[in-house]
Amino acid sequence: MDTKTLLEWSAKYHTPNYGSRAPIVLVRGDGVRVWDSDGREYLDFGAGIAVTSLGHCHPRVTGAIQEAAATLLHVSNLYHSAPQIHLAKLLIEHSFAERVFFSNSGAEANEAALKLARKYARERIASDRVEFVATRNSFHGRTFATVAATGQEKYHHGFEPLVPGFKHVPYNDLRAMERAIDNRTAGVIIECIQGEGGVNVADEDYLRGLRKLCDQSGALLIVDEIQTGVARTGKLWSYEHYGIEPDIMTLAKALANGVPIGAMLTRDEIASVLVAGTHGSTFGGTPFVTSVALATLTTIIDGKIWERAARTGQYLMDGLRKIQAANGVIRAVRGKGLLIGAELSGLVGPVVDACREAGLLVLSAGERVLRLTPPLIVEERECDRALAIIQTALGRVG
Ligand SMILES: *Cc1c(COP(=O)(O)O)cnc(C)c1O
């Protein structure tokens, strides 16, 4: 099938919500590279959207997929399965948490977190303790509850009335949090780095202060690590940068290197309200996805891949800062590890297009931020190539 026909059929048969898709059809990937249906090669500095952290078709991931496919793809959660148990144990041995619930996506992991926090607060603290505080420019998903948690109006338009019970306060503003948290607050949901919202990094004092506010009021601190987790920011979990621990953490994107999975992690005491029958999922944590996640997470932990992400991330940020010094188009460079944003003086869309035309896939975060989330295995010479392409593409800023 030729590319032109595929693109015509795509326009004809899909719902139009991905209307701004790039006009290429990707057919194959290997490490940091992908190829389109016309045989053109690209450096993939998006890794999906911070998903394929070990690169495309990593041999251990591919091996796990092949083995699971030939052994046992699916059983329901009416039964136990070994990969699910091993994955839960590995997550718990390497995090603050004591209990795990598996879902299929980030939004579902956040749904589970919000449902758990509300049930815990209502049953263990007070029956009217049902509300949530979230931050402006946050992103927590597209389901009714998680879109209400999301602090960006563009995701709300047309879907009102929103699920009630969510307040939004400015990010990195501890006083605003202090005013918003009260004796009706069940939980606060926050990203240590706002990914979709512009690669905004939380200040150290902010998250520490927020942890204290939650401790004082009894509100649960839900840290959304869906984008920041699994070594992306130079630590296995981004909360480690801040010397705090959440009460609930959610994961998804990179956890199975591209196979859909989500997870909600918490402590024993909080998990205990989720008694038999109160929550569940048909597909959540099947032997297939959990064995792929197990291969991914084992590879990341055994290789201490976060150290590599920290090092290469520094290299890439230094490179962007050099471009910034030589070229007024970049206003600020921010991020941690390999979750990096460059705020531009104008619209980022044309820069993303120019990069792609020159063989580099990059992401945006909002209208003015160029976002880089390459696979964590990316090498310096690939960063050099990407930086050269970006420098040229910045000439096209909107
Ligand atoms: C991507 C993302 C989500 C939503 O995950 P889905 O798998 O698309 O539902 C939620 N929170 C954050 C921080 C994300 O980056």
Side-chain angles (χ1 to χ4, degrees):
M1 187 61 59
D2 65 289
T3 305
K4 187 164 163 287
T5 308
L6 284 172
L7 293 178
E8 278 168 17
W9 286 2
S10 178
K12 185 171 171 194
Y13 295 121
H14 289 306
T15 54
N17 51 302
Y18 299 119
S20 54
R21 257 199 256 243
I24 57 173
V25 180
L26 296 174
V27 295
R28 188 165 69 82
D30 182 16
V32 184
R33 287 178 170 69
V34 288
W35 287 266
D36 72 14
S37 51
D38 297 326
R40 285 206 58 198
E41 180 181 312
Y42 302 85
L43 271 180
D44 182 2
F45 269 50
I49 303 176
V51 168
T52 54
S53 282
L54 293 175
H56 296 281
C57 302
H58 187 284
R60 284 188 63 183
V61 175
T62 302
I65 291 170
Q66 287 170 336
E67 196 183 321
T71 308
L72 183 66
L73 209 52
H74 176 85
V75 295
S76 77
N77 285 304
L78 298 170
Y79 310 99
H80 298 277
S81 82
Q84 191 186 78
I85 297 164
H86 287 303
L87 179 62
K89 182 167 179 282
L90 187 66
L91 282 166
I92 280 159
E93 285 169 353
H94 289 88
S95 73
F96 77 97
E98 296 162 333
R99 298 277 171 169
V100 185
F101 168 81
F102 292 113
S103 65
N104 308 294
S105 67
E108 281 177 71
N110 281 339
E111 284 277 344
L114 295 166
K115 283 180 72 178
L116 172 62
R118 182 174 281 172
K119 196 162 191 294
Y120 177 83
R122 288 182 54 134
E123 290 178 7
R124 297 291 165 85
I125 310 180
S127 59
D128 64 347
R129 194 134 184 167
V130 298
E131 293 182 354
F132 295 98
V133 180
T135 57
R136 294 202 190 132
N137 293 317
S138 61
F139 184 83
H140 299 298
R142 306 283 203 149
T143 61
F144 263 120
T146 60
V147 90
T150 293
Q152 301 188 59
E153 276 172 22
K154 66 179 179 191
Y155 296 115
H156 296 165
H157 280 314
F159 299 114
E160 301 89 349
L162 298 177
V163 172
F166 292 88
K167 269 192 269 198
H168 293 96
V169 294
Y171 194 65
N172 265 334
D173 182 343
L174 195 58
R175 298 290 294 278
M177 271 292 179
E178 199 170 354
R179 283 192 295 272
I181 296 170
D182 59 25
N183 57 12
R184 288 176 52 82
T185 309
V188 175
I189 183 164
I190 195 142
E191 300 154 271
C192 297
I193 302 176
Q194 290 183 327
E196 305 299 307
V199 192
N200 306 311
V201 182
D203 298 334
E204 201 162 319
D205 291 349
Y206 179 61
L207 284 190
R208 286 178 184 224
L210 179 58
R211 177 68 272 180
K212 271 206 195 99
L213 288 176
C214 288
D215 288 341
Q216 285 158 4
S217 80
L220 297 181
L221 180 59
I222 304 167
V223 174
D224 178 341
E225 294 257 14
I226 290 166
Q227 188 155 161
T228 53
V230 199
R232 169 63 51 192
T233 69
K235 303 267 188 196
L236 187 53
W237 319 117
S238 68
Y239 69 76
E240 295 172 44
H241 289 289
Y242 296 89
I244 60 153
E245 287 186 348
D247 299 305
I248 301 175
M249 162 167 92
T250 50
L251 303 175
K253 290 188 163 79
L255 186 53
N257 208 55
V259 169
I261 187 171
M264 190 268 303
L265 293 86
T266 188
R267 294 195 315 269
D268 250 336
E269 190 228 341
I270 299 165
S272 66
V273 300
L274 228 46
V275 297
T278 51
H279 196 57
S281 167
T282 299
F283 288 120
T286 60
F288 169 55
V289 296
T290 48
S291 60
V292 180
L294 193 59
T296 303
L297 194 60
T298 306
T299 306
I300 284 173
I301 289 172
D302 289 353
K304 293 194 167 68
I305 302 286
W306 51 89
E307 291 178 357
R308 192 166 162 173
R311 237 180 2 256
T312 317
Q314 194 59 56
Y315 184 82
L316 196 51
M317 280 217 262
D318 288 346
L320 286 169
R321 292 208 169 101
K322 271 182 213 145
I323 296 175
Q324 180 184 13
N327 174 335
V329 172
I330 296 183
R331 289 280 168 83
V333 176
R334 45 184 192 250
K336 283 186 190 291
L338 282 167
L339 176 50
I340 298 172
E343 189 175 323
L344 309 183
S345 59
L347 297 178
V348 67
V351 177
V352 172
D353 291 341
C355 284
R356 187 183 62 252
E357 284 155 20
L360 174 70
L361 303 185
V362 295
L363 302 171
S364 58
E367 289 190 338
R368 286 169 181 263
V369 177
L370 181 73
R371 177 172 39 153
L372 302 179
T373 58
L376 307 181
I377 53 152
V378 70
E379 305 211 345
E380 288 185 359
R381 62 190 159 77
E382 291 158 337
C383 292
D384 291 338
R385 170 110 189 90
L387 287 163
I389 292 173
I390 289 167
Q391 183 152 26
T392 307
L394 285 174
R396 291 257 295 269
V397 72

